[in-house]
């Protein structure tokens, strides 16, 4: 049996069971083996009846102290008996299992394991399983998998299917080199798959989890590096260094901070270096990320190219449009706004201006991704609050041109090591100082009555 085989190949999985597995997005053997337990039921040693606690799984040993009784309700039959040890008594109940009454005998000693509940103020052992001594003590210390389920699919059915699949699995290829596994103290892949489902103890579980977590991060990083290599191409939009940027800087109402200048120089180096830029700029609210992005769009304008800025909400897009219009239009740039709430006529007018090359910076929301929006001569894509967009959305905007430069802005504070992991396909720049005399950012929670005032 191989990873790609249908789960119908697993013994005991018929048509109905297959449909139920499909509801869990399990289609083949590989999907099943990666359907990891959500938790484990750990078998602990026997406890005295006086020590059982409500809400816990408990195993007790005692003597049946009275004859079993069956109580019938409209929905079920409830079988009850009393188990006794030297420390006390506890009522034991089974639901819809009246046949057990014939197996229970007064004065006989039993080992029962189940969930401790409470009924009428007294502790009750509910729906326990019955074990022989040898059977029970073989289980002590073991972890039993508990899986995410769907209607009609029992934990036992999933556990059995996983066990059968592991037992007959062929070709579970090991893709990590032996020296890497040794250096990182990682299990072999096949053993990790077995032990994540059926660990003998906590140590085996932790080792299996370590290997599989490593795999996830390793493959994620490999995918990001593949994207990075794919995107690292000669640029179709090489910018030339233009001293006219000094006019942009001189017209600002304040001087750029040292951090803004440093980050802009990194961006300028990318845009003029001959390769496509893919850069993340992060910094606190008010640190001046938008000003750096505006400078980059101005350089694109000076080189005869279009820039696009995509924001996650219409309010933010409108704020960008209003602020950047005041800054850039006096320098000759033509700006336009495209949002989903605009009328059909307004959208058509913006699309026509774009098609005629009458826009230098288009600002908008997801509306920029629409099929009917053409962005000719697009050389710079700026996305604000990147964590609000998926990678696919960023890619869709970039695909509207031939490998445009990409600038991603985020105010979410991300440690550099984490940024390199999450945004491994991007170079990372940080604006780590605020402009002088900057008003402090204040955050409020307001009711709907103050919505207009907030706007």
């Amino acid at each position: 049996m191989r990873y790609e085989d249908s789960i119908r190949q697993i013994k005991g999985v018929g048509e109905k069971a297959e449909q139920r597995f499909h509801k869990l997005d399990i289609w083949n053997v590989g999907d099943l083996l990666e359907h990891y337990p959500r938790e484990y039921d750990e078998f602990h040693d026997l406890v005295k009846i006086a020590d059982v606690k409500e809400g816990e799984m408990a195993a007790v040993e005692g003597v049946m102290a009275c004859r079993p009784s069956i109580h019938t309700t409209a929905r079920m039959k409830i079988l009850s008996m009393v188990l006794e040890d030297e420390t006390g008594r506890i009522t034991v109940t089974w639901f819809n299992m009246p046949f057990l009454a014939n197996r229970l005998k007064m004065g006989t000693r039993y080992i029962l394991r189940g969930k401790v509940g409470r009924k009428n103020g007294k502790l009750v052992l509910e729906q326990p399983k019955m074990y022989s001594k040898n059977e029970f003590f073989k289980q002590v210390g073991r972890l039993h998998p508990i899986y995410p389920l769907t209607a009609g699919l029992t934990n036992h059915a999933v556990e059995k299917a996983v066990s059968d699949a592991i037992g007959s699995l062929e070709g579970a290829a090991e893709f990590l080199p032996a020296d890497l596994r040794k250096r990182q103290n990682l299990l072999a892949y096949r053993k990790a798959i077995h032990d994540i489902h059926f660990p003998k103890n906590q140590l085996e579980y932790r080792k299996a989890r370590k290997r599989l977590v490593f795999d996830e991060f390793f493959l994620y990083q490999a995918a990001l590096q593949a994207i990075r290599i794919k995107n690292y191409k000669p640029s179709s939009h090489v910018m030339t260094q233009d001293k006219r940027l000094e006019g942009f800087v001189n017209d600002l109402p304040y001087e750029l901070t040292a951090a803004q200048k440093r980050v802009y120089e990194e961006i300028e180096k990318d845009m003029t270096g001959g390769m496509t830029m893919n850069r993340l700029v992060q910094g606190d609210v008010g640190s001046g990320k938008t000003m750096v992005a505006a400078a980059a769009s101005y350089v694109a304008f000076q080189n005869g190219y279009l820039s696009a800025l995509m924001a996650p909400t219409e309010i933010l897009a409108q704020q960008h449009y209003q602020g950047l219009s005041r800054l850039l239009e006096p320098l000759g740039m033509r700006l336009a706004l495209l949002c989903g709430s605009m009328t059909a006529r307004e959208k058509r007018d913006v699309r026509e201006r774009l098609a005629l090359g009458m826009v230098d910076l288009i600002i908008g929301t997801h509306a920029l991704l629409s099929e009917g929006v053409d962005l000719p001569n697009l050389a710079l894509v700026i996305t604000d609050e990147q964590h609000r967009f998926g990678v696919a959305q960023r890619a869709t905007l970039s695909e509207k041109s031939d490998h445009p430069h990409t600038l991603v802005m985020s105010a979410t504070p991300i440690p550099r090591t984490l940024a390199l992991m999450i945004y491994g396909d991007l170079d990372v720049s940080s604006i780590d100082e605020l402009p002088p005399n900057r008003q402090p950012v204040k955050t409020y929670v307001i009711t709907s009555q103050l919505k207009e005032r907030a706007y």
Side-chain angles (χ1 to χ4, degrees), residues 86-148:
E86 65 273 21
T87 67
R89 291 183 165 198
I90 189 169
T91 299
V92 183
T93 58
W94 289 270
F95 305 107
N96 287 330
M97 299 177 71
F99 56 88
L100 282 179
N102 297 324
R103 292 176 53 188
L104 298 171
K105 296 181 180 179
M106 281 271 294
T108 302
R109 183 171 289 273
Y110 295 99
I111 293 177
L112 302 176
R113 183 176 185 272
K115 188 79 171 280
V116 180
R118 186 177 293 275
K119 187 174 182 181
N120 299 326
K122 294 183 178 180
L123 294 179
V124 179
L125 192 64
E126 298 175 333
Q127 206 74 359
K129 288 186 178 180
M130 199 178 300
Y131 296 89
S132 68
K133 278 199 171 186
N134 286 340
E135 188 181 16
F136 176 78
F137 286 109
K138 282 181 181 178
Q139 302 295 330
V140 172
R142 295 187 71 95
L143 302 176
H144 292 259
I146 299 176
Y147 294 94

Side-chain angles (χ1 to χ4, degrees), residues 219-229 391 420-426:
L219 294 172
Y220 180 72
Q221 283 291 294
L224 285 177
Q225 288 303 310
I227 293 172
R228 188 186 184 98
I229 292 170
V391 174
L420 291 172
M421 183 187 73
I422 298 174
Y423 300 116
D425 59 324
L426 304 173

Side-chain angles (χ1 to χ4, degrees), residues 374-407:
D374 292 324
L375 302 175
N377 214 22
L378 176 66
L380 175 62
V381 172
I382 305 165
T383 54
D384 196 9
E385 293 301 332
Q386 162 62 22
H387 67 283
R388 299 281 294 276
F389 295 108
V391 174
Q393 290 171 315
R394 193 174 85 211
T396 299
L397 186 56
S398 296
E399 287 167 3
K400 289 181 177 285
S401 179
D402 183 19
H403 301 294
H405 298 291
T406 299
L407 184 63

